[in-house]
Amino acid sequence: ASVSLGASRWFHLRQKPWQPGDPGDPREENLKKLSHRIHLMSGSLLLMTGATQRDWQHCLPADKDCMEARINLTFRRVFSEDKRWNPSSLDMKKQ
């Protein structure tokens, strides 16, 4: 999850190229890359769920004309569901 605050920016998404072993049809006519631009205004919440990280490249290109401040807060899950950190599992006596 990503929260944008301050100046608005464009968020770009581009489909990654087909690789051997990927599902789908590798013929040239089916390799057209999809791309999207999303206008992130102050207060926008962007979620990249499912296969987005695997199948898409993303960037927030620099905007030389923008002189306003901007802050982005990004939240990521570091642990998988089955290996979540559990503070109650710590044995403080061993430390």
Side-chain angles (χ1 to χ4, degrees):
S2 180
V3 178
S4 293
L5 302 170
S8 64
R9 296 288 294 277
W10 285 100
F11 181 82
H12 292 211
L13 284 165
R14 166 174 76 181
Q15 192 174 30
K16 289 182 180 177
W18 186 88
Q19 298 290 322
D22 286 351
D25 190 342
R27 292 181 298 194
E28 189 64 34
E29 64 268 17
N30 293 320
L31 289 179
K32 295 177 185 170
K33 283 188 186 177
L34 298 175
S35 63
H36 300 282
R37 286 185 343 151
I38 301 168
H39 195 217
L40 298 178
M41 296 183 283
S42 187
S44 295
L45 173 65
L46 177 71
L47 299 175
M48 292 181 59
T49 62
T52 308
Q53 293 282 2
R54 184 189 69 213
D55 297 338
W56 295 81
Q57 296 171 331
H58 61 279
C59 72
L60 207 74
D63 183 354
K64 295 176 185 177
D65 297 328
C66 182
M67 297 298 159
E68 298 174 51
R70 180 181 174 278
I71 295 174
N72 178 271
L73 304 173
T74 302
F75 303 90
R76 299 176 187 206
R77 184 175 59 189
V78 177
F79 298 97
S80 65
E81 290 296 320
D82 59 334
K83 296 181 181 178
R84 276 190 266 178
W85 181 68
N86 181 357
S88 65
S89 68
L90 293 176
D91 186 354
M92 299 305 281
K93 295 175 188 170
K94 291 182 181 179
Q95 296 181 9

